[in-house]
């Protein structure tokens, strides 16, 4: 069932990977469209809208306080989103092993928890400003063949400095090939993120 409000744009280039866009807190399914268009112009795009409201700001799972989460709720929301992605793949006819998640902030966080809990629905991910939400390693071998790019900011007030390397280790434990880039920036995205993601995508396919 296509349980999330979402936007789908068919791809123009069959060799370009389909992208799963996951917006940050307070965003919606249109936020990352310009980024996707710049990153991989011919890609099909699936972009769900977060279904959890934090005072009207949409997200993909609840936040008890800044950086504080309920692991059971995160797991439940992660499975719900993964079920949606699997249903959308069948409906729109794309192959989950080719699907690349592009997530920002809360969207990067749920992309990460999908890699940890439901690795079969993604082929790889660009995680922009992600943090450790579920402190558990991916199951050994579960992420074999998956490529992940983590881009974090050295001056990000929301993501503690030890989180990016910890996150990389949690995903590498599952066999993912993880690249971690630290930018001299904060939580917001910059042109440097786009350039790094373009370079990674070009060499990862
Ligand atoms: C989260 O809640 O996922 C992180 O704090 C990032 C965000 O503010 O959305």
């Amino acid at each position: 069932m296509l349980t999330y409000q979402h936007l789908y744009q068919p791809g123009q280039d069959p060799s370009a990977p389909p992208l799963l866009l996951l917006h940050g807190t307070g965003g919606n399914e249109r936020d990352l469209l310009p980024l996707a268009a710049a990153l991989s112009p011919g890609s099909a795009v699936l972009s769900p809208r977060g279904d959890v409201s934090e005072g009207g700001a949409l997200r993909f799972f609840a936040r008890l306080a800044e950086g504080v989460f309920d692991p059971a709720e995160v797991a439940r929301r992660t499975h719900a989103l993964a079920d949606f992605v699997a249903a959308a793949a069948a409906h729109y006819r794309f192959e989950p092993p080719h699907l690349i998640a592009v997530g920002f902030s809360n969207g990067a966080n749920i992309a990460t928890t999908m890699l940890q809990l439901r690795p079969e629905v993604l082929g790889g991910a660009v995680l922009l400003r992600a943090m450790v939400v579920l402190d558990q390693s991916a199951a050994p071998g579960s992420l074999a063949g998956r490529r992940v790019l983590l881009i974090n900011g050295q001056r990000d007030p929301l993501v503690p400095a030890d989180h990016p390397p910890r996150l990389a280790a949690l995903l590498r434990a599952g066999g993912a090939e993880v690249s971690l880039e630290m930018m001299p920036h904060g939580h917001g995205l910059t042109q440097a993120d786009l350039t790094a993601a373009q370079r990674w995508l070009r060499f990862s396919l």
Side-chain angles (χ1 to χ4, degrees):
M1 276 239 303
L2 299 182
T3 44
Y4 283 71
Q5 185 155 340
H6 66 281
L7 174 155
Y8 179 76
Q9 292 179 349
Q12 309 300 326
D13 174 359
S15 70
L19 302 180
L20 172 66
L21 306 184
L22 297 165
H23 64 79
T25 301
N28 66 36
E29 68 277 19
R30 307 199 73 83
D31 278 18
L32 297 180
L33 290 177
L35 177 67
L39 205 49
S40 183
S43 283
V45 164
L46 174 66
S47 188
R49 178 187 292 187
D51 59 350
V52 173
S53 168
E54 183 183 88
L58 295 177
R59 305 169 42 85
F60 290 95
F61 54 79
R63 176 165 55 175
L64 307 178
E66 187 54 62
V68 183
F69 311 100
D70 170 3
E73 196 261 355
V74 172
R76 187 165 58 78
R77 299 281 181 194
T78 300
H79 284 293
L81 185 61
D83 289 344
F84 162 77
V85 171
H91 183 80
Y92 295 118
R93 297 174 190 278
F94 59 82
E95 304 282 332
H98 298 148
L99 185 65
I100 305 289
V102 178
F104 168 62
S105 193
N106 179 247
N109 290 343
I110 197 155
T112 304
T113 58
M114 278 202 288
L115 288 168
Q116 290 167 296
L117 301 181
R118 295 288 297 274
E120 78 280 4
V121 299
L122 293 177
V126 176
L127 305 174
L128 303 161
R129 310 297 187 270
M131 67 195 296
V132 176
V133 172
L134 291 183
D135 195 1
Q136 69 184 67
S137 298
S142 64
L143 293 175
R146 308 307 200 281
R147 299 198 65 204
V148 176
L149 173 63
L150 279 165
I151 309 182
N152 283 87
Q154 282 160 354
R155 293 197 281 273
D156 189 334
L158 298 181
V159 179
D162 63 321
H163 279 219
R166 279 174 56 202
L167 209 45
L170 295 175
L171 298 175
R172 283 184 184 128
E177 191 182 315
V178 181
S179 304
L180 168 58
E181 294 210 25
M182 295 301 299
M183 302 278 177
H185 302 298
H187 199 67
L189 298 180
T190 69
Q191 177 63 36
D193 291 282
L194 174 61
T195 305
Q198 280 171 325
R199 191 182 333 116
W200 177 87
L201 201 59
R202 203 171 308 128
F203 290 111
S204 73
L205 302 173

